Structure formats: structure tokens, C-alpha cells
Amino acid sequence: MPRRSLTVAIAALLTLGAAACTNDDGFESVTTTTGATSAGTLPEAAVQTTAEELVREYYANLTCEGKDAEAYAALLDDSFVSVTATGVKDRAAVLKLLETNCFGNPAVSDIRAHQTSGVLVVPYVGKVDSNGVSQPPSQRVNVFVNDSGTWRGVLFASAAPIASDVAASTTTAPSSTTTTTVPTAAPTTPASSVTSEEAQRTGEELVQQYFANLTCDGKDAQAYAALLDDSFVSITASGVKDKAEVLELLDNVCYSKATTDDIRVSETPGVLVVTYRGRVDVDGKEAPETQRVNVFVDDNGTWKGVMYADAGTPA
């Protein structure tokens, strides 16, 4: 499918660069643009540096003083989506937001990098002022894919504070409001043959399978773990959890009454980004519906989860 260039962004759009300085609040702010990064699956030693450069390049053209809509657009894959508490925006909507808003004073900290098969998942804490109004920091994540030697942004998500931390995947069970059958094993449609219809169907099945083994009456930690890539991370308002921490949470928490709706799938070869609204009760406490997103990568014919994020509810 068509694509364009290198990063991810949206909603609370930030802006970064290579020369960093430390603010009084402890965040790292960037004022200059970094260069492009190498392609393909990176050597372990290059993963962190590349991720930091990608996040900074993603933000380099967004501030009022340095806005460059054309350069920013060139960084985004055509499949790009932005997920925040207010909903999901596609590439065109994000570019429109850039035209009509003034962003300033961006800052980021605690950038981490997770790589699998030509995909970089980069969680961090960030903030950016919007139209002169100071904004608080939030947990954020960008996802980049390698496209024939160029890293391109396919997702940005920002976690808003939520009433109850359904962390580590705010893990929900299969939706009671949808009718897609949860498969007994991850779909194995080869990435190269996925049509838009197949991508939608597969994305729905994967999200429901992701949640199928989490409820108190159907918990299956082994089946759940099998769906997750070793690089898997969960991003919520409370922070970032890796696969081991998510599985530990599953051992100690009871999830129930899960629902999902408005499932949408954007696809780029070998990667499915699945956005939806969902809710799940935690240890018997009712939880609100929130905007969520899962990212799956094709691993030799089997789809594996590499990221989950809960964007929360509008303030």
C-alpha cells in the first residue's frame, strides 16, 4: 500500500530535534532536527539511538516558529493514525490540525525503544503547549515501520489520565457488542496477501483474541502469552509495562464484562494498527469506556501483538 516517509504523531503534537537541553521540569526539549536513520532490523546497539532520532524528527516541524507542513507530511505513512482520548484521526485530519493550531514548548523524557522485524515501538513521556495554553505531560508512543530502507510513522497515541488503571493492556475480554468469532489461534494470513477487507476482519479477530483469555471465567495466561511478541509493551496513564509485567498483572487481577466497538484497522505490509473503543471492569469495579489501540506484526505467517495503548477518556 502507498506510504510516505518516517514518523508518527497527532493530538497533543510535540516537536523535537537533535540538540537537547534540560528544562526545570526535568524533561528533555529539542530544538534542532536530526538526520535520517538506517533501515531494516537494526543491530541492538543502534535501536535506542535510532528511536530517539525518529521521535525528534517526527516533532521537528510542528512548532509555530518552525512549522513545515510539507516536511511533516513527508514523515507520515499514508496509513498513519493518531489515537487520543478524543478519538482517532487519520493522516489527513492530523495535517489539518497542524494547519489550524499553534504548538510550542515541546519536551520529552524517558524515551524507550522496542524492536521486532522492522518495526520500532517507542514509548516516552511528553508534552507540548497548544495555542498558548500549557499542557501537562502524558505517556505517549510512536510506532515506525521500515519501508525499503526508510522509517515511516504509522501510529501516535497519547494516554490521558483515566479513572481506574486498567493497565497492562487495560486488558479486556472479547467484546459483547461485536459478533466476530474469536479464533483458537492467531490468524495466519500472509502479510503480502492482506486486502483491506481481510485486514479489517483479521484486526477484529486479533483484538478479540487478545482479550479472549483475560476474564475471570475464561482466563488462560498461556494462550494470552502466546499471542504477544517478546517485545510487547503496554502503555497507559500509569506508565509502560513489558510482557512479563503484563502477565504478572493478569495473575493478580480479575477482569470482567468487557466490550469493544468501533473497531477500525489500518494496514501497512506486515503491520496492523487496530483502534477501537472498549471497557472492562477490574476486580468488580465498573470502568469507563476508553479509546484504545493494538498493533500486531506478521511473524512468518502468525500475527503477534507488539503494543497496546489506552488513551483514556476526554478530560
Side-chain angles (χ1 to χ4, degrees):
M1 76 179 287
R3 304 158 129 185
R4 255 171 232 186
S5 197
L6 147 68
T7 15
V8 253
I10 169 307
L13 302 160
L14 314 165
T15 305
L16 317 151
C21 60
T22 301
N23 295 330
D24 293 339
D25 57 13
F27 284 88
E28 184 182 275
S29 62
V30 187
T31 55
T32 61
T33 308
T34 63
T37 61
S38 59
T41 298
L42 299 166
E44 191 62 31
V47 171
Q48 182 66 29
T49 299
T50 299
E52 292 176 2
E53 290 175 349
L54 285 166
V55 167
R56 290 178 175 126
E57 183 169 353
Y58 170 77
Y59 290 126
N61 301 296
L62 298 175
T63 57
C64 302
E65 301 79 10
K67 186 182 295 186
D68 187 335
E70 184 175 351
Y72 179 67
L75 300 178
L76 306 183
D77 188 85
D78 285 351
S79 69
F80 174 83
V81 292
S82 167
V83 182
T84 66
T86 58
V88 180
K89 292 182 175 64
D90 62 15
R91 182 176 182 274
V94 170
L95 295 177
K96 184 66 174 178
L97 188 71
L98 182 60
E99 288 178 7
T100 56
N101 288 272
C102 175
F103 299 101
N105 300 321
V108 296
S109 66
D110 195 22
I111 298 175
R112 309 180 193 183
H114 304 266
Q115 175 183 229
T116 182
S117 304
V119 177
L120 285 176
V121 177
V122 190
Y124 55 95
V125 176
K127 64 172 187 146
V128 64
D129 294 346
S130 177
N131 297 318
V133 179
S134 180
Q135 301 295 324
S138 64
Q139 187 67 57
R140 304 178 180 198
V141 61
N142 285 43
V143 177
F144 306 90
V145 300
N146 179 266
D147 177 26
S148 302
T150 299
W151 291 100
R152 305 176 188 274
V154 295
L155 171 73
F156 166 88
S158 177
I162 53 179
S164 80
D165 178 28
V166 195
S169 324
T170 302
T171 30
T172 344
S175 169
S176 64
T177 62
T178 55
T179 58
T180 305
T181 301
V182 177
T184 56
T188 56
T189 304
S192 60
S193 67
V194 172
T195 64
S196 59
E197 293 79 9
E198 290 171 333
Q200 180 66 34
R201 182 177 65 253
T202 300
E204 291 177 2
E205 292 174 347
L206 285 165
V207 163
Q208 293 190 37
Q209 184 177 350
Y210 174 77
F211 293 130
N213 301 298
L214 299 175
T215 54
C216 301
D217 55 358
K219 187 180 294 186
D220 187 337
Q222 186 174 356
Y224 178 67
L227 183 61
L228 306 183
D229 188 83
D230 288 344
S231 68
F232 176 83
V233 290
S234 167
I235 296 100
T236 68
S238 65
V240 180
K241 291 181 174 64
D242 62 19
K243 180 179 179 179
E245 291 170 317
V246 169
L247 295 177
E248 181 179 1
L249 186 71
L250 181 59
D251 286 339
N252 300 308
V253 176
C254 174
Y255 298 105
S256 60
K257 299 181 180 178
T259 64
T260 58
D261 60 22
D262 193 24
I263 298 175
R264 309 179 193 179
V265 180
S266 59
E267 177 264 337
T268 193
V271 180
L272 295 178
V273 176
V274 188
T275 64
Y276 55 97
R277 296 194 64 81
R279 62 175 294 276
V280 62
D281 293 349
V282 183
D283 289 332
K285 297 179 181 178
E286 185 173 340
E289 184 179 65
T290 59
Q291 186 67 59
R292 306 175 183 200
V293 58
N294 285 59
V295 177
F296 300 92
V297 299
D298 180 74
D299 180 18
N300 296 318
T302 298
W303 293 100
K304 293 280 192 176
V306 295
M307 193 216 73
Y308 162 90
D310 188 332
T313 55

